[in-house]
Amino acid sequence: MDLEWDSDCSASMDSQSAGRISALEFDISTEEPPRVHADSGPSSSQGELHHRLLGPSLSKSGQSGVDQNAISQIIYRASEGSKYFERQRQQERELTKKVHATLRLAASVSKQELTAAQQRVKVLMKQAESTRVLDQTIVHLDCDAFYASVEELDFPELKTKPFAVGGGVLCTCNYEARKFGVRSAMAEFVAKKICPQLTVLPLNFPKYIEKSNQIKKILREYDSNLCAMTLDEAYMNITKYCEDSNKSRSEIINNMRNRIFRETGVTVSAGIGPNSRVAKIASNINKPNGQFEVENDREAVMNFMATLQVRKLTGVGYVLERQLNALQVLVCGDIGPKSNILHQVMSSSTFSFLLECYLGLGPTVIKPMDQIQRKSVGCETTFSAASDREILRSKLLQVCCDLEKECKRLKLAGRKFGIKFKKDTFESFSRSKPVSKPLSNSAEFFKLGTVMLDAVMPIKIRLIGVRITDLVDLTYEGPMRTYIRSLTANGLDQCRATSSEHQLQDAFKSAKVEVSSEEIETHIPESSGQVRSAIQAMNIVEAQESSTARKRDFPVVCCPICSNRISAESALVNQHIDWCLSRRAIKEALQDSERSMKI
DNA sequence: GCGGATCAC
DNA sequence: TATGGTGATCCGC
């Protein structure tokens, strides 16, 4: 691999590559298709299945000196025969097919196509190169085994013992546990087979959030616009800070890390580079409790990337790694020489991504997370697989209530509602539907969800999730909302609560669900008191209605806008409110135009 | 536009 | 005995 490569010699570089990449190089035997059936003897993907079962954190730090082969055998034996295992095996077969398809595609590329690709790649390469920025200092900061590290502060005796945080599936583990081959995302029972003395602590998010805030407070002194990706990870642009300081950037970050440890007791690792992609990769080099700097120099950056295994790239997971490795792209440096064929077999966005990685390009503008608008909000839950209608509905209700809580917290509603299921076989699928009015309450979620659930019954599932997209910001104070608020300053919230309560009842009635107080406690112990009481109220109303001669189908609520009493049937309520709002809107618009005429 | 897949953490 | 939850994006249909 020519590390001296630059845009001025791209033509000669590319012709070299073209000379070496013959179409035949990718020829695989299409006469002998990959074995895809379990009963066809030892599968060609058997070794890969071990690899797949090892999970995503194989390339993480703290795994050197671990006998991966032995671990792999234990995991395989622990998993064998389970539904999870069968699903993994099936996915591995499908992936093997996909990889073979990619190889066939690569083999089918003609010389002419390759030559044409070469021209195109040259243009794309030059375009990408023209975006290079080398005058910014970007830092990626990553706390080491964060949750475990925070727990060690409370339980110092755990420091010398292997332990993990999580439950069912591990979220993270300390470095003592990693010596045994324990990893994040590993099933707890598997981890205990590898390391029987492993202690597993439950998650304690409030504690992690507090510690994270302490750390971020320090970080903000270096860049007030930092982007905190998660509790334990942040990007910073310290260009300005460096300019105002007479220390080297490496020294600045070293001091910062020492200070974080002194003041919070948590060790952090850092990567320093010209952009966030390079910084992110660099932060992993000397983990834990270390840092690595890549000079803001084109050649230094490309040298750094060249020897990097593609799996280390953020955005390259198990699947893309398999595809790339099959095409003999093992490290980033291989991307350049193989760029012509990659251009032919990868999607254009994946190709651009790979090109950026090869060149060591990446974002240099770091935006605070609160300036990045979210696109969806969802809740899901896993339970012991069930096919019973009532059990599934109670699970659905639980996630709908959780979602409502999230909507309230974030002050968001959604114009599209979606539901997700995972079958007991671990296959998952989803359904979604646009709605006329932005949704944010559990009754409406539950009503839509019930229809979607019924449509797939009978079915045995282990997970239900609900999600809204096409979000509407309820805090947005447009002229309309301000006007409404001024009109209804007193009674609005009360009316809304009443209305919501009746809609919930409505949803339950239409879904023909009977829920006792005990069941509510059992299924949704953490649901809000408001929802609980709404359901209880519904049951009372239902009892009353069934015992009386039902003079009307629905109770009455007051309109939050005009305060008139209307039937609480949700369709009528919505219809009335829409009409009422549009009436107000017209009036307001008229007033506005009158005012502007006077001016 | 929907649903499935992939990825990060 | 047994394998998570949340959010984003891309791609094929």
Side-chain angles (χ1 to χ4, degrees), chain A residues 21 101 147 219 254 265 302 358 463 474 501 567:
Chain A
I21 300 176
Y147 300 167
L219 298 186
N254 200 46
M302 289 201 48
Y358 173 66
L463 173 149
L474 298 178
E501 202 170 294
S567 163

Side-chain angles (χ1 to χ4, degrees), chain A residues 84 292 420:
Chain A
Y84 174 80
F292 189 85
K420 169 181 160 186

Side-chain angles (χ1 to χ4, degrees), chain A residues 403-412 440 445 468:
Chain A
L403 184 56
E404 178 183 273
K405 273 190 273 182
E406 278 300 282
C407 287
K408 289 218 165 90
R409 187 174 69 80
L410 300 163
K411 300 190 182 353
L412 289 170
S440 63
F445 299 150
I468 52 169

Side-chain angles (χ1 to χ4, degrees), chain A residues 79-317:
Chain A
S79 307
E80 207 168 9
S82 69
K83 288 183 169 158
Y84 174 80
F85 178 89
E86 286 310 315
R87 176 65 180 153
Q88 293 298 313
R89 180 147 82 179
Q90 183 192 340
Q91 292 199 308
E92 190 53 44
R93 277 189 224 118
E94 283 164 15
L95 177 55
T96 301
K97 271 197 230 174
K98 191 169 153 184
V99 169
H100 280 253
T102 302
L103 287 176
R104 276 196 293 274
L105 180 59
S108 74
V109 174
S110 69
K111 291 272 184 193
Q112 291 102 312
E113 286 169 321
L114 220 49
T115 309
Q118 186 180 329
Q119 298 307 312
R120 181 69 186 137
V121 167
K122 207 190 294 179
V123 172
L124 291 172
M125 192 92 80
K126 209 155 229 168
Q127 262 176 22
E129 185 58 47
S130 74
T131 67
R132 191 185 294 275
V133 172
L134 287 169
D135 63 356
Q136 299 293 299
T137 292
I138 308 300
V139 175
H140 180 255
L141 207 91
D142 205 326
C143 303
D144 306 319
F146 184 57
Y147 300 167
S149 167
V150 176
E151 295 295 351
E152 280 179 4
L153 295 174
D154 284 353
F155 307 105
E157 70 277 12
L158 285 175
K159 274 186 188 173
T160 54
K161 296 197 286 186
F163 82 96
V165 185
V169 172
L170 308 180
C171 283
T172 191
C173 59
N174 67 352
Y175 279 76
E176 281 301 312
R178 293 184 196 196
K179 288 180 190 168
F180 290 83
V182 175
R183 298 178 187 81
S184 63
M186 187 176 268
E188 188 178 335
F189 80 95
V190 174
K192 288 232 170 101
K193 284 222 161 85
I194 291 169
C195 174
Q197 68 271 48
L198 185 75
T199 305
V200 179
L201 298 182
L203 287 159
N204 187 344
F205 273 108
K207 200 154 78 176
Y208 313 144
I209 290 169
E210 192 195 340
K211 186 58 71 179
S212 177
N213 287 338
Q214 284 176 27
I215 295 167
K216 276 185 274 187
K217 193 176 167 197
I218 297 171
L219 298 186
R220 268 187 253 278
E221 292 180 29
Y222 296 80
D223 175 14
S224 57
N225 283 323
L226 71 90
C227 177
M229 303 299 290
T230 57
L231 291 181
D232 69 337
E233 194 185 351
Y235 289 99
M236 293 186 288
N237 184 332
I238 61 164
T239 311
K240 182 71 169 57
Y241 191 96
C242 291
E243 280 166 10
D244 299 343
S245 163
N246 52 11
K247 295 193 181 74
S248 72
R249 54 191 203 169
S250 184
E251 205 176 345
I252 290 167
I253 293 305
N254 200 46
N255 291 343
M256 186 183 78
R257 289 177 40 245
N258 285 330
R259 194 181 147 199
I260 290 169
F261 180 65
R262 258 199 328 273
E263 296 181 19
T264 72
V266 172
T267 66
V268 299
S269 298
I272 308 164
N275 61 60
S276 62
R277 191 193 310 281
V278 171
K280 163 95 175 158
I281 296 160
S283 70
N284 236 328
I285 302 285
N286 284 323
K287 203 170 226 314
N289 197 15
Q291 65 185 58
F292 189 85
E293 177 183 4
V294 180
E295 295 295 328
N296 281 25
D297 170 82
R298 185 177 180 280
E299 200 184 319
V301 169
M302 289 201 48
N303 282 337
F304 174 69
M305 299 300 289
T307 56
L308 204 70
Q309 303 236 321
V310 289
R311 189 64 168 86
K312 300 268 186 186
L313 297 167
T314 309
V316 177

Side-chain angles (χ1 to χ4, degrees), chain A residues 431-443:
Chain A
R431 297 289 178 264
S432 72
K433 183 177 153 63
V435 284
S436 54
K437 182 183 72 114
L439 305 182
S440 63
N441 82 55
S442 56

